[in-house]
Amino acid sequence: MSLAWELLKRETALSWGRGGGPLVSAGFYLGVATLLPLAAGPEPARLAAVAPGVAWMTLALATLLGLDRLFERDYEDGALDLLTLSPLPLEFVCALKCLGQWLATGLPLALAAPITEIALGGSPTLAPLVLVSALVGGLAFAFASGIGAALSLGARRGGLLTAVIVLPLFTPPVIFGGGALDAFASGLPWSAGFVLLCAYAAAAIALGPLAMAAACRNALS
Amino acid sequence: MMSALEIKELAISRGGRPLFQGLNLNLSAGQACALTGRNGSGKTSLLRAIAGLLSADTGEIGFGEQDPDQARRTEIHLVGHADGLKSGQTARDELAFWTRWSGGNLSSLDSAIDRLDIRRLLDLEVRRLSAGQKRRLALARLLAAPRTLWLLDEPLSPLDSVWRTRFGEMMSDHLGSGGMIVAAIHDPLPIPAQVLEINP
């Protein structure tokens, strides 16, 4: 476990500095949230209606920033070779890399999500669910997007390719998470959407590393 | 501990182009092999196949009595063209991480640092180092975390004559302790080694 802990610390630190890390993601997040009233109009009722969905959508898009370098830099500088020659299975290494990415960028974005939702005029009673959904959904985004990052290894304009691969994988968590928030805001039962979001995150965590490791092996060979 | 490297009738192709076929190599503890051949002949591909990073078309690669997967995870060091170092990290952080990752400890790293004379570089970011200094950092990993089989891809090319001689001494010590070395080279190795020429 000490080896895994060493790798997690390293990946979190590298993700923190990769492509500007959480500052760029948070800046993008706040920028989109600031632009919304300019585009949709400043009426509080209108903003409050779309605030949860916008907070959730922007979280998904902000996750894409810096994602293309998750495996690409290790692939280019030879570190991926060395990570493969270790007692830890490559699948576990991939999982730790995604977890490090989530700790460095997904976690700060999740903490910013309820603030954004309230700033746009959403109900404060919704904020706890926005936070928990963003935490769980951020994990789903991180592991689903790791698949795209691994599949685009070595490709020209890999960043664009990663986004094209990853966005369809974001569809279920966006529907489940957004649906749960919308149901809560409307006073309807919301737990089904949240449970489905948790199930998707669990599936992404369990299956994503298998796909990532296979894609990495294919790129290395 | 790995006792031998046995390669039988190995064939590898890249991008649909056969690189070599029917390649055989037997290496015992304390022996080294120098891979020679023209650019693109398949020296790097052979090293990567031994490391398990590349699949062979046909043939076998064995490590004595040891399970191949286990051997690759715990008994093989690979120093390739890229050194695996992060440009924004300090040399100290990189060395510490890769030493632990390869199964070494910080006391063995300390003596490797002295032997490769890189103590004064430790607080510099990797991006500030020359190619030869980066290579010495990568070679420190070999000494800090002992593993039996060293796979070296043109290990001498960025090193000056002094460090080529010193690294030769380190390779001799490794062979003396029962290690094995397979090195792809264009310049002669400074140690006795069987030569395997790869021709396309």
Side-chain angles (χ1 to χ4, degrees), chain B residues 78-98:
Chain B
L78 173 67
V79 177
H81 290 293
D83 291 317
L85 303 167
K86 298 288 176 216
S87 58
Q89 299 284 97
T90 65
R92 184 189 305 278
D93 289 343
E94 285 297 283
L95 274 178
F97 173 76
W98 287 118

Side-chain angles (χ1 to χ4, degrees), chain A residues 53-74:
Chain A
V54 167
W56 185 245
M57 258 313 292
T58 312
L59 176 75
L61 295 177
T63 306
L64 291 174
L65 298 176
L67 179 69
D68 56 315
R69 308 299 284 168
L70 181 62
F71 293 106
E72 188 72 26
R73 200 167 287 179
D74 288 339

